[in-house]
Amino acid sequence: MTRGCAAACLLPALAATGLPGYAPAQGAAAVTAGHARFEFLTATLLRLEYSPAGSFVDAPTAVVLKRDWPAVRVQSTQQNGWLVATSGSLTVRYRLGSGEFTAANLEVSWKDAAGAAGSWRPGARDPLNLGGLTYSLDNISAANLPPEPQGNESPVNDEIPGLDM
């Protein structure tokens, strides 16, 4: 099972089955650094995976089923112990050999349409986040759920419309 997913994480059921026959998303550019993989699905959509075994899952995700976008051009370098990979729209910095993703070893940065800089690190809270599917989130915890009680129960046995298992 991969850990530390963000932005287009895997469905736990798909990751657990290790379904054969899936290939990396067409057009995606993947940069691997040891047990970490950064897959640029588009220039502005990034799939992050950390696998202690160094094996990654190429199955579609709950929120990104379409996987046939135009090719993404990514440049990557290693600088002072860091992997730096950029699509021109997003830049990922990961401290090489540092293990699972944390705020200390991973940062994703970008500029929005107006040119304002933004960044994200694991554990960062976004008060404007509208939520979304919790079926695909790793390490679901109360800190990541809305304060109202409805919808906070475990999604383990929930059905996902349109997904035949």
Side-chain angles (χ1 to χ4, degrees), residues 74-128:
V74 173
Q75 295 180 332
S76 65
T77 60
Q78 293 184 14
Q79 303 170 355
N80 300 320
W82 289 83
L83 168 73
V84 179
T86 184
S87 67
S89 298
L90 285 177
T91 299
V92 176
R93 287 179 33 89
Y94 172 69
R95 182 174 295 282
L96 295 166
S98 62
E100 292 187 26
F101 303 147
T102 68
N105 71 4
L106 176 69
E107 179 183 35
V108 179
S109 59
W110 64 88
K111 288 196 177 184
D112 67 17
S119 67
W120 173 87
R121 290 182 180 268
R125 291 180 155 241
D126 181 357
L128 301 177

Tab-separated table of all heavy atoms in Angstrom, residues 74-128:
chain	number	residue	atom	x	y	z
A	74	VAL	N	8.492	17.432	-18.135
A	74	VAL	CA	8.983	17.666	-16.776
A	74	VAL	C	10.499	17.648	-16.793
A	74	VAL	O	11.109	16.794	-17.432
A	74	VAL	CB	8.453	16.591	-15.803
A	74	VAL	CG1	9.080	16.731	-14.437
A	74	VAL	CG2	6.938	16.668	-15.703
A	75	GLN	N	11.079	18.583	-16.099
A	75	GLN	CA	12.537	18.614	-15.926
A	75	GLN	C	12.827	18.309	-14.467
A	75	GLN	O	12.163	18.833	-13.573
A	75	GLN	CB	13.099	19.981	-16.287
A	75	GLN	CG	12.932	20.327	-17.752
A	75	GLN	CD	13.500	21.700	-18.054
A	75	GLN	OE1	13.547	22.578	-17.215
A	75	GLN	NE2	13.934	21.871	-19.293
A	76	SER	N	13.815	17.446	-14.241
A	76	SER	CA	14.183	17.150	-12.856
A	76	SER	C	15.695	17.214	-12.693
A	76	SER	O	16.441	16.891	-13.611
A	76	SER	CB	13.651	15.775	-12.440
A	76	SER	OG	14.258	14.755	-13.185
A	77	THR	N	16.092	17.665	-11.515
A	77	THR	CA	17.508	17.751	-11.177
A	77	THR	C	17.670	17.361	-9.711
A	77	THR	O	16.691	17.308	-8.963
A	77	THR	CB	18.066	19.181	-11.365
A	77	THR	OG1	17.336	20.072	-10.507
A	77	THR	CG2	17.954	19.643	-12.798
A	78	GLN	N	18.903	17.114	-9.320
A	78	GLN	CA	19.223	16.901	-7.920
A	78	GLN	C	20.134	18.036	-7.495
A	78	GLN	O	21.157	18.287	-8.138
A	78	GLN	CB	19.898	15.552	-7.720
A	78	GLN	CG	18.966	14.396	-8.012
A	78	GLN	CD	19.589	13.049	-7.737
A	78	GLN	OE1	20.630	12.937	-7.096
A	78	GLN	NE2	18.941	12.004	-8.220
A	79	GLN	N	19.736	18.728	-6.434
A	79	GLN	CA	20.481	19.885	-5.948
A	79	GLN	C	20.641	19.804	-4.436
A	79	GLN	O	19.649	19.821	-3.713
A	79	GLN	CB	19.749	21.191	-6.304
A	79	GLN	CG	19.491	21.384	-7.771
A	79	GLN	CD	18.552	22.566	-8.024
A	79	GLN	OE1	18.030	23.187	-7.104
A	79	GLN	NE2	18.342	22.863	-9.303
A	80	ASN	N	21.867	19.692	-3.964
A	80	ASN	CA	22.167	19.711	-2.528
A	80	ASN	C	21.315	18.715	-1.735
A	80	ASN	O	20.787	19.047	-0.676
A	80	ASN	CB	21.979	21.122	-1.964
A	80	ASN	CG	22.880	22.118	-2.636
A	80	ASN	OD1	24.041	21.826	-2.912
A	80	ASN	ND2	22.344	23.291	-2.930
A	81	GLY	N	21.164	17.487	-2.257
A	81	GLY	CA	20.414	16.460	-1.556
A	81	GLY	C	18.915	16.499	-1.780
A	81	GLY	O	18.181	15.748	-1.149
A	82	TRP	N	18.460	17.354	-2.656
A	82	TRP	CA	17.030	17.477	-2.952
A	82	TRP	C	16.764	17.105	-4.400
A	82	TRP	O	17.541	17.465	-5.292
A	82	TRP	CB	16.550	18.910	-2.735
A	82	TRP	CG	16.493	19.324	-1.309
A	82	TRP	CD1	17.544	19.780	-0.553
A	82	TRP	CD2	15.368	19.328	-0.451
A	82	TRP	NE1	17.126	20.065	0.718
A	82	TRP	CE2	15.786	19.798	0.803
A	82	TRP	CE3	14.034	18.983	-0.626
A	82	TRP	CZ2	14.921	19.929	1.880
A	82	TRP	CZ3	13.162	19.112	0.446
A	82	TRP	CH2	13.612	19.575	1.687
A	83	LEU	N	15.639	16.427	-4.641
A	83	LEU	CA	15.123	16.250	-5.989
A	83	LEU	C	14.245	17.457	-6.266
A	83	LEU	O	13.420	17.832	-5.432
A	83	LEU	CB	14.265	14.977	-6.074
A	83	LEU	CG	13.443	14.857	-7.360
A	83	LEU	CD1	14.352	14.527	-8.539
A	83	LEU	CD2	12.357	13.814	-7.210
A	84	VAL	N	14.447	18.079	-7.412
A	84	VAL	CA	13.598	19.195	-7.828
A	84	VAL	C	13.039	18.829	-9.190
A	84	VAL	O	13.790	18.627	-10.142
A	84	VAL	CB	14.391	20.520	-7.908
A	84	VAL	CG1	13.484	21.651	-8.367
A	84	VAL	CG2	15.025	20.842	-6.555
A	85	ALA	N	11.708	18.698	-9.273
A	85	ALA	CA	11.045	18.352	-10.526
A	85	ALA	C	10.011	19.423	-10.820
A	85	ALA	O	9.240	19.807	-9.935
A	85	ALA	CB	10.386	16.986	-10.428
A	86	THR	N	9.985	19.903	-12.067
A	86	THR	CA	9.039	20.961	-12.412
A	86	THR	C	8.420	20.724	-13.779
A	86	THR	O	9.079	20.246	-14.694
A	86	THR	CB	9.702	22.351	-12.355
A	86	THR	OG1	8.705	23.343	-12.615
A	86	THR	CG2	10.825	22.490	-13.365
A	87	SER	N	7.156	21.079	-13.866
A	87	SER	CA	6.439	21.048	-15.139
A	87	SER	C	6.364	22.450	-15.725
A	87	SER	O	5.795	22.638	-16.788
A	87	SER	CB	5.019	20.512	-14.930
A	87	SER	OG	4.260	21.432	-14.150
A	88	GLY	N	6.902	23.415	-15.029
A	88	GLY	CA	6.764	24.809	-15.417
A	88	GLY	C	5.611	25.467	-14.669
A	88	GLY	O	5.643	26.647	-14.376
A	89	SER	N	4.587	24.670	-14.342
A	89	SER	CA	3.443	25.170	-13.571
A	89	SER	C	3.542	24.767	-12.106
A	89	SER	O	3.128	25.508	-11.226
A	89	SER	CB	2.133	24.622	-14.148
A	89	SER	OG	1.955	25.055	-15.469
A	90	LEU	N	4.082	23.574	-11.845
A	90	LEU	CA	4.270	23.053	-10.491
A	90	LEU	C	5.724	22.680	-10.296
A	90	LEU	O	6.367	22.193	-11.223
A	90	LEU	CB	3.468	21.770	-10.281
A	90	LEU	CG	1.973	21.839	-10.107
A	90	LEU	CD1	1.407	20.422	-9.998
A	90	LEU	CD2	1.595	22.626	-8.888
A	91	THR	N	6.214	22.865	-9.084
A	91	THR	CA	7.565	22.424	-8.740
A	91	THR	C	7.479	21.592	-7.475
A	91	THR	O	6.848	21.995	-6.495
A	91	THR	CB	8.506	23.622	-8.518
A	91	THR	OG1	8.578	24.373	-9.728
A	91	THR	CG2	9.900	23.157	-8.115
A	92	VAL	N	8.106	20.419	-7.507
A	92	VAL	CA	8.166	19.531	-6.358
A	92	VAL	C	9.593	19.500	-5.860
A	92	VAL	O	10.527	19.353	-6.645
A	92	VAL	CB	7.754	18.090	-6.757
A	92	VAL	CG1	7.900	17.146	-5.575
A	92	VAL	CG2	6.353	18.065	-7.289
A	93	ARG	N	9.750	19.639	-4.538
A	93	ARG	CA	11.065	19.489	-3.894
A	93	ARG	C	10.933	18.387	-2.863
A	93	ARG	O	10.062	18.446	-1.994
A	93	ARG	CB	11.486	20.785	-3.208
A	93	ARG	CG	11.903	21.880	-4.159
A	93	ARG	CD	12.298	23.181	-3.444
A	93	ARG	NE	12.917	23.038	-2.145
A	93	ARG	CZ	14.237	22.895	-1.917
A	93	ARG	NH1	15.080	22.885	-2.916
A	93	ARG	NH2	14.709	22.784	-0.692
A	94	TYR	N	11.800	17.373	-2.980
A	94	TYR	CA	11.777	16.240	-2.053
A	94	TYR	C	13.204	15.930	-1.630
A	94	TYR	O	14.091	15.773	-2.465
A	94	TYR	CB	11.149	15.013	-2.736
A	94	TYR	CG	11.245	13.748	-1.926
A	94	TYR	CD1	10.517	13.590	-0.742
A	94	TYR	CD2	12.062	12.701	-2.337
A	94	TYR	CE1	10.614	12.424	0.009
A	94	TYR	CE2	12.152	11.526	-1.593
A	94	TYR	CZ	11.431	11.403	-0.427
A	94	TYR	OH	11.524	10.250	0.315
A	95	ARG	N	13.431	15.847	-0.300
A	95	ARG	CA	14.765	15.523	0.211
A	95	ARG	C	15.037	14.051	-0.065
A	95	ARG	O	14.331	13.176	0.412
A	95	ARG	CB	14.895	15.808	1.704
A	95	ARG	CG	16.311	15.513	2.216
A	95	ARG	CD	16.517	15.922	3.657
A	95	ARG	NE	16.432	17.343	3.868
A	95	ARG	CZ	17.396	18.227	3.589
A	95	ARG	NH1	18.528	17.813	3.062
A	95	ARG	NH2	17.230	19.502	3.829
A	96	LEU	N	16.057	13.790	-0.864
A	96	LEU	CA	16.390	12.437	-1.296
A	96	LEU	C	16.680	11.529	-0.108
A	96	LEU	O	17.374	11.921	0.834
A	96	LEU	CB	17.585	12.467	-2.247
A	96	LEU	CG	17.312	13.189	-3.568
A	96	LEU	CD1	18.606	13.474	-4.310
A	96	LEU	CD2	16.369	12.366	-4.430
A	97	GLY	N	16.108	10.320	-0.150
A	97	GLY	CA	16.368	9.317	0.876
A	97	GLY	C	15.794	9.631	2.233
A	97	GLY	O	16.193	9.022	3.227
A	98	SER	N	14.854	10.558	2.328
A	98	SER	CA	14.354	10.999	3.634
A	98	SER	C	13.097	10.278	4.099
A	98	SER	O	12.563	10.591	5.150
A	98	SER	CB	14.095	12.508	3.611
A	98	SER	OG	13.107	12.816	2.645
A	99	GLY	N	12.612	9.320	3.347
A	99	GLY	CA	11.474	8.524	3.799
A	99	GLY	C	10.129	9.087	3.420
A	99	GLY	O	10.001	9.844	2.458
A	100	GLU	N	9.123	8.657	4.202
A	100	GLU	CA	7.747	9.059	3.937
A	100	GLU	C	7.628	10.577	3.894
A	100	GLU	O	8.397	11.293	4.521
A	100	GLU	CB	6.817	8.499	5.014
A	100	GLU	CG	6.697	7.000	4.958
A	100	GLU	CD	5.649	6.471	5.925
A	100	GLU	OE1	4.708	7.206	6.266
A	100	GLU	OE2	5.794	5.316	6.324
A	101	PHE	N	6.634	11.055	3.166
A	101	PHE	CA	6.440	12.488	2.986
A	101	PHE	C	6.059	13.170	4.300
A	101	PHE	O	5.160	12.727	5.003
A	101	PHE	CB	5.350	12.756	1.955
A	101	PHE	CG	5.612	12.140	0.608
A	101	PHE	CD1	4.570	11.689	-0.166
A	101	PHE	CD2	6.895	12.036	0.098
A	101	PHE	CE1	4.787	11.133	-1.412
A	101	PHE	CE2	7.139	11.488	-1.139
A	101	PHE	CZ	6.075	11.021	-1.910
A	102	THR	N	6.761	14.248	4.602
A	102	THR	CA	6.480	15.081	5.773
A	102	THR	C	6.627	16.539	5.354
A	102	THR	O	7.138	16.841	4.278
A	102	THR	CB	7.470	14.805	6.930
A	102	THR	OG1	8.778	15.263	6.538
A	102	THR	CG2	7.520	13.325	7.295
A	103	ALA	N	6.240	17.423	6.244
A	103	ALA	CA	6.402	18.846	5.974
A	103	ALA	C	7.873	19.232	5.870
A	103	ALA	O	8.221	20.228	5.232
A	103	ALA	CB	5.712	19.672	7.064
A	104	ALA	N	8.754	18.441	6.463
A	104	ALA	CA	10.182	18.752	6.440
A	104	ALA	C	10.887	18.274	5.172
A	104	ALA	O	11.956	18.781	4.845
A	104	ALA	CB	10.876	18.134	7.658
A	105	ASN	N	10.291	17.313	4.455
A	105	ASN	CA	11.016	16.768	3.302
A	105	ASN	C	10.305	16.913	1.957
A	105	ASN	O	10.819	16.455	0.946
A	105	ASN	CB	11.377	15.294	3.538
A	105	ASN	CG	10.174	14.357	3.498
A	105	ASN	OD1	9.047	14.754	3.216
A	105	ASN	ND2	10.424	13.097	3.799
A	106	LEU	N	9.135	17.526	1.924
A	106	LEU	CA	8.380	17.643	0.678
A	106	LEU	C	7.678	18.983	0.594
A	106	LEU	O	7.051	19.427	1.569
A	106	LEU	CB	7.335	16.528	0.580
A	106	LEU	CG	6.411	16.572	-0.637
A	106	LEU	CD1	7.179	16.272	-1.916
A	106	LEU	CD2	5.262	15.588	-0.464
A	107	GLU	N	7.794	19.625	-0.560
A	107	GLU	CA	7.052	20.860	-0.813
A	107	GLU	C	6.650	20.901	-2.281
A	107	GLU	O	7.440	20.568	-3.162
A	107	GLU	CB	7.889	22.102	-0.507
A	107	GLU	CG	7.130	23.388	-0.804
A	107	GLU	CD	7.957	24.642	-0.583
A	107	GLU	OE1	9.177	24.601	-0.838
A	107	GLU	OE2	7.384	25.650	-0.168
A	108	VAL	N	5.398	21.290	-2.528
A	108	VAL	CA	4.904	21.524	-3.879
A	108	VAL	C	4.605	23.013	-3.961
A	108	VAL	O	3.913	23.559	-3.099
A	108	VAL	CB	3.629	20.705	-4.172
A	108	VAL	CG1	3.123	20.993	-5.573
A	108	VAL	CG2	3.884	19.219	-3.981
A	109	SER	N	5.136	23.673	-4.968
A	109	SER	CA	4.901	25.113	-5.112
A	109	SER	C	4.425	25.415	-6.526
A	109	SER	O	4.647	24.644	-7.456
A	109	SER	CB	6.161	25.908	-4.777
A	109	SER	OG	7.225	25.529	-5.619
A	110	TRP	N	3.773	26.566	-6.688
A	110	TRP	CA	3.195	26.976	-7.971
A	110	TRP	C	2.939	28.471	-7.978
A	110	TRP	O	3.058	29.135	-6.949
A	110	TRP	CB	1.873	26.232	-8.225
A	110	TRP	CG	0.821	26.577	-7.214
A	110	TRP	CD1	-0.079	27.605	-7.258
A	110	TRP	CD2	0.594	25.917	-5.971
A	110	TRP	NE1	-0.848	27.613	-6.122
A	110	TRP	CE2	-0.469	26.593	-5.328
A	110	TRP	CE3	1.171	24.821	-5.336
A	110	TRP	CZ2	-0.963	26.194	-4.078
A	110	TRP	CZ3	0.683	24.422	-4.091
A	110	TRP	CH2	-0.371	25.106	-3.487
A	111	LYS	N	2.567	28.975	-9.131
A	111	LYS	CA	2.064	30.346	-9.269
A	111	LYS	C	0.681	30.245	-9.890
A	111	LYS	O	0.477	29.505	-10.849
A	111	LYS	CB	2.979	31.188	-10.146
A	111	LYS	CG	4.274	31.534	-9.453
A	111	LYS	CD	4.988	32.659	-10.131
A	111	LYS	CE	6.232	32.953	-9.300
A	111	LYS	NZ	6.959	34.090	-9.793
A	112	ASP	N	-0.281	30.998	-9.328
A	112	ASP	CA	-1.627	30.950	-9.881
A	112	ASP	C	-1.730	31.834	-11.118
A	112	ASP	O	-0.732	32.441	-11.542
A	112	ASP	CB	-2.673	31.317	-8.823
A	112	ASP	CG	-2.603	32.767	-8.359
A	112	ASP	OD1	-1.983	33.602	-9.042
A	112	ASP	OD2	-3.192	33.065	-7.299
A	113	ALA	N	-2.919	31.912	-11.698
A	113	ALA	CA	-3.116	32.645	-12.945
A	113	ALA	C	-2.741	34.123	-12.815
A	113	ALA	O	-2.322	34.754	-13.783
A	113	ALA	CB	-4.562	32.508	-13.419
A	114	ALA	N	-2.873	34.660	-11.597
A	114	ALA	CA	-2.535	36.065	-11.368
A	114	ALA	C	-1.059	36.252	-11.040
A	114	ALA	O	-0.597	37.373	-10.858
A	114	ALA	CB	-3.390	36.631	-10.233
A	115	GLY	N	-0.312	35.151	-10.945
A	115	GLY	CA	1.111	35.238	-10.653
A	115	GLY	C	1.462	35.143	-9.185
A	115	GLY	O	2.636	35.217	-8.822
A	116	ALA	N	0.452	34.949	-8.319
A	116	ALA	CA	0.712	34.832	-6.885
A	116	ALA	C	1.261	33.442	-6.580
A	116	ALA	O	0.757	32.444	-7.088
A	116	ALA	CB	-0.562	35.084	-6.084
A	117	ALA	N	2.292	33.405	-5.750
A	117	ALA	CA	2.924	32.132	-5.394
A	117	ALA	C	2.084	31.394	-4.360
A	117	ALA	O	1.466	31.999	-3.495
A	117	ALA	CB	4.322	32.387	-4.848
A	118	GLY	N	2.082	30.063	-4.483
A	118	GLY	CA	1.414	29.213	-3.511
A	118	GLY	C	2.301	28.016	-3.214
A	118	GLY	O	3.186	27.689	-4.010
A	119	SER	N	2.064	27.366	-2.091
A	119	SER	CA	2.827	26.169	-1.777
A	119	SER	C	2.002	25.267	-0.873
A	119	SER	O	1.065	25.717	-0.206
A	119	SER	CB	4.163	26.501	-1.118
A	119	SER	OG	3.963	27.052	0.157
A	120	TRP	N	2.369	23.998	-0.878
A	120	TRP	CA	1.709	22.997	-0.050
A	120	TRP	C	2.767	22.068	0.516
A	120	TRP	O	3.741	21.734	-0.158
A	120	TRP	CB	0.716	22.187	-0.884
A	120	TRP	CG	0.126	21.042	-0.119
A	120	TRP	CD1	-0.966	21.082	0.685
A	120	TRP	CD2	0.600	19.692	-0.078
A	120	TRP	NE1	-1.192	19.835	1.239
A	120	TRP	CE2	-0.240	18.958	0.767
A	120	TRP	CE3	1.674	19.035	-0.681
A	120	TRP	CZ2	-0.059	17.607	1.032
A	120	TRP	CZ3	1.866	17.684	-0.421
A	120	TRP	CH2	0.990	16.983	0.422
A	121	ARG	N	2.570	21.669	1.779
A	121	ARG	CA	3.407	20.666	2.434
A	121	ARG	C	2.464	19.680	3.114
A	121	ARG	O	1.363	20.056	3.513
A	121	ARG	CB	4.314	21.301	3.480
A	121	ARG	CG	5.424	22.152	2.877
A	121	ARG	CD	6.315	22.717	3.988
A	121	ARG	NE	7.376	23.535	3.452
A	121	ARG	CZ	8.588	23.093	3.143
A	121	ARG	NH1	8.897	21.832	3.309
A	121	ARG	NH2	9.497	23.908	2.665
A	122	PRO	N	2.882	18.432	3.274
A	122	PRO	CA	2.032	17.471	3.973
A	122	PRO	C	1.604	18.004	5.339
A	122	PRO	O	2.403	18.578	6.070
A	122	PRO	CB	2.935	16.242	4.121
A	122	PRO	CG	3.859	16.343	2.944
A	122	PRO	CD	4.128	17.816	2.794
A	123	GLY	N	0.338	17.815	5.639
A	123	GLY	CA	-0.209	18.272	6.915
A	123	GLY	C	-0.778	19.675	6.873
A	123	GLY	O	-1.437	20.099	7.813
A	124	ALA	N	-0.551	20.410	5.782
A	124	ALA	CA	-1.071	21.775	5.681
A	124	ALA	C	-2.591	21.741	5.629
A	124	ALA	O	-3.180	20.895	4.964
A	124	ALA	CB	-0.512	22.467	4.435
A	125	ARG	N	-3.214	22.661	6.325
A	125	ARG	CA	-4.672	22.774	6.307
A	125	ARG	C	-5.060	23.883	5.354
A	125	ARG	O	-4.393	24.904	5.262
A	125	ARG	CB	-5.205	23.089	7.692
A	125	ARG	CG	-5.045	21.927	8.626
A	125	ARG	CD	-5.577	22.263	10.013
A	125	ARG	NE	-5.937	21.006	10.619
A	125	ARG	CZ	-7.158	20.699	11.011
A	125	ARG	NH1	-8.124	21.569	10.892
A	125	ARG	NH2	-7.407	19.526	11.540
A	126	ASP	N	-6.153	23.658	4.632
A	126	ASP	CA	-6.669	24.644	3.687
A	126	ASP	C	-8.112	24.948	4.068
A	126	ASP	O	-9.003	24.138	3.821
A	126	ASP	CB	-6.594	24.102	2.271
A	126	ASP	CG	-7.090	25.091	1.234
A	126	ASP	OD1	-7.561	26.192	1.613
A	126	ASP	OD2	-7.016	24.774	0.038
A	127	PRO	N	-8.372	26.113	4.682
A	127	PRO	CA	-9.732	26.426	5.131
A	127	PRO	C	-10.711	26.585	3.963
A	127	PRO	O	-11.910	26.534	4.168
A	127	PRO	CB	-9.566	27.734	5.908
A	127	PRO	CG	-8.305	28.331	5.376
A	127	PRO	CD	-7.426	27.172	4.989
A	128	LEU	N	-10.204	26.750	2.744
A	128	LEU	CA	-11.082	26.888	1.584
A	128	LEU	C	-11.318	25.568	0.862
A	128	LEU	O	-12.041	25.522	-0.129
A	128	LEU	CB	-10.491	27.914	0.603
A	128	LEU	CG	-10.293	29.313	1.182
A	128	LEU	CD1	-9.644	30.229	0.155
A	128	LEU	CD2	-11.611	29.890	1.644
